[in-house]
Amino acid sequence: MLKRQGEHVPGAELARALGISRAALWKRISSLRKRGLAIEAARGRGYRLAGVPDLSPEVLRASVRGALGRRVVFIDTVDSTNEIAMGLAASGAAHGTVVLAGSQKKGKGRLGRRWVSPAGCNIYMSVVLRPEVRPREAGILTLVAAVAAAAALKDVASLDVRIKWPNDLIVSGRKVGGILTEVRSEPDRILHAVVGVGINVNMKAGDFPRDLRDSATSVFMETGRMHSRTELAAAVLNVLDGEFRSFRQKGSGPLLARLRGLSSTLGKEVSVAAGTETFTGVAEDLDDEGCLVLKGPEGTRRICSGDVTHLRETGNA
Ligand code: BTN
């Protein structure tokens, strides 16, 4: 009833509608306030919902349509949401459990990098998945999440996001978000996976450390508008749910077709640092497992994990 944002609703009316006593109503209002909902009380007029925080686990839970996000574990400050989600998954957390944080002290990027995670402005979210894929196919989960995040940013903020293989979400040449997938496997099957999604939502240019100012951006910086983190997180979960189901039912074909259309890597001359080696060539295509097919001076090579640097366009994209 308090969804009638802005209007006062008498306490007696609320208690009656909920079938609880006035004392129980008071307890419920206090608990909602503790969770961040701004509920005002005015003598003789009742209660009024003055505002919903832009990151609300309750609203997120209520906004998801599929299996992802039915359980949301919200922790204000964590070292890394991926770490918490891996721990929950190891103790049996269900497929779709989401860990959401207001800030991270040790946010992790790919390849051991840090992920700058200040409070109050961005999305730091990790999703527990229990995929029926072999360990060698785990890389595809990153691609599923990257395609979902790009589609959600298009829907919610009208942003044209490109994907730099495998996990960078790029707008106008700068990074607006990234995906970090971690898995626990046995030799022939994945026990569980955690897909971590970081999106710079309402961060201002001056909030980035100096070394990232030329390469990073945020939804706010690209659109000039603040966005609800809850709405964006819900869109990511809903699209991810659909992409993940499609991948399970139809395999990687449709996903890779969408990814080809969003890729900023294909058709470029690139260098790829993979382990101790670096390969240079043209990023020709993606294979069925989402690995990069690189055509170099020594022939065609398949690369499933690596750090890509774009060198130049080749004109055959
Ligand atoms: C990258 O682009 O290198 C990946 C960045 C992934 C960041 C997210 S934020 C939520 C989750 N928790 C982490 O510690 N990392 C991921």
Side-chain angles (χ1 to χ4, degrees):
M1 284 179 89
L2 282 182
K3 279 190 183 148
R4 279 159 32 190
Q5 194 164 335
E7 284 175 45
H8 282 93
V9 183
E13 195 185 317
L14 274 176
R16 207 172 33 250
L18 294 168
I20 56 177
S21 67
R22 294 295 295 269
L25 175 69
W26 174 243
K27 271 198 195 149
R28 209 173 278 189
I29 298 262
S30 310
S31 129
L32 288 171
R33 280 180 175 151
K34 279 193 197 123
R35 292 182 196 180
L37 267 71
I39 300 174
E40 290 174 3
R43 198 178 288 275
R45 296 173 70 197
Y47 298 97
R48 185 178 88 91
L49 183 60
V52 178
D54 94 297
L55 185 63
S56 156
E58 283 77 25
V59 179
L60 179 61
R61 216 174 284 124
S63 311
V64 297
R65 294 189 296 268
L68 310 187
R70 285 203 194 134
R71 177 180 176 212
V72 178
V73 177
F74 177 76
I75 310 174
D76 194 41
T77 302
V78 290
D79 279 350
S80 154
T81 54
N82 264 31
E83 255 175 46
I84 304 277
M86 284 297 277
L88 290 175
S91 11
H95 174 82
T97 301
V98 165
V99 178
L100 185 70
S103 66
Q104 299 184 116
K105 287 184 286 187
K106 293 183 188 161
K108 298 192 282 184
R110 256 181 98 239
L111 307 168
R113 296 185 182 124
R114 75 192 155 139
W115 186 256
V116 174
S117 310
C121 49
N122 297 332
I123 291 175
Y124 316 112
M125 175 167 83
S126 299
V127 188
V128 174
L129 300 177
R130 298 200 174 268
E132 287 137 29
V133 298
R134 283 166 293 165
R136 56 176 288 186
E137 295 166 329
I140 206 119
L141 299 175
T142 298
L143 308 181
V144 175
V147 167
L153 283 160
K154 177 86 180 167
D155 287 352
V156 172
S158 304
L159 273 183
D160 274 319
V161 177
R162 313 279 291 161
I163 297 170
K164 177 168 170 266
W165 186 90
N167 73 314
D168 287 347
L169 305 171
I170 305 289
V171 181
S172 312
R174 292 173 189 222
K175 183 156 168 165
V176 74
I179 313 294
L180 175 67
T181 302
E182 299 184 61
V183 296
R184 186 154 166 248
S185 323
E186 286 178 343
D188 58 347
R189 72 182 182 116
I190 289 182
L191 295 173
H192 54 254
V194 164
V195 170
V197 181
I199 301 178
N200 302 328
V201 184
N202 294 319
M203 214 164 155
K204 315 281 179 324
D207 299 336
F208 285 100
R210 265 178 211 292
D211 60 321
L212 294 182
R213 285 195 191 156
D214 290 338
S215 58
T217 189
S218 71
V219 179
F220 171 77
M221 286 160 65
E222 297 301 321
T223 61
R225 280 195 303 122
M226 304 280 277
H227 284 79
S228 154
R229 286 178 287 165
T230 313
E231 188 189 357
L232 190 48
V236 172
L237 292 174
N238 285 330
V239 185
L240 180 56
D241 190 63
E243 287 291 348
F244 190 66
R245 276 169 205 271
S246 148
F247 167 62
R248 279 216 286 222
Q249 286 159 9
K250 302 179 198 156
S252 60
L255 169 83
L256 293 173
R258 277 191 282 286
L259 180 56
R260 287 186 185 99
L262 293 168
S263 174
S264 65
T265 302
L266 295 182
K268 291 217 170 84
E269 190 172 329
V270 299
S271 82
V272 189
T276 52
E277 295 185 279
T278 299
F279 306 104
T280 306
V282 176
E284 280 216 319
D285 200 3
L286 300 166
D287 72 6
D288 289 353
E289 289 172 7
C291 298
L292 199 62
V293 179
L294 190 74
K295 192 167 177 195
E298 282 140 35
T300 301
R301 186 182 288 277
R302 176 176 184 261
I303 299 177
C304 297
S305 168
D307 195 22
V308 171
T309 304
H310 290 169
L311 302 174
R312 58 178 173 262
E313 305 282 345
T314 59
N316 64 351

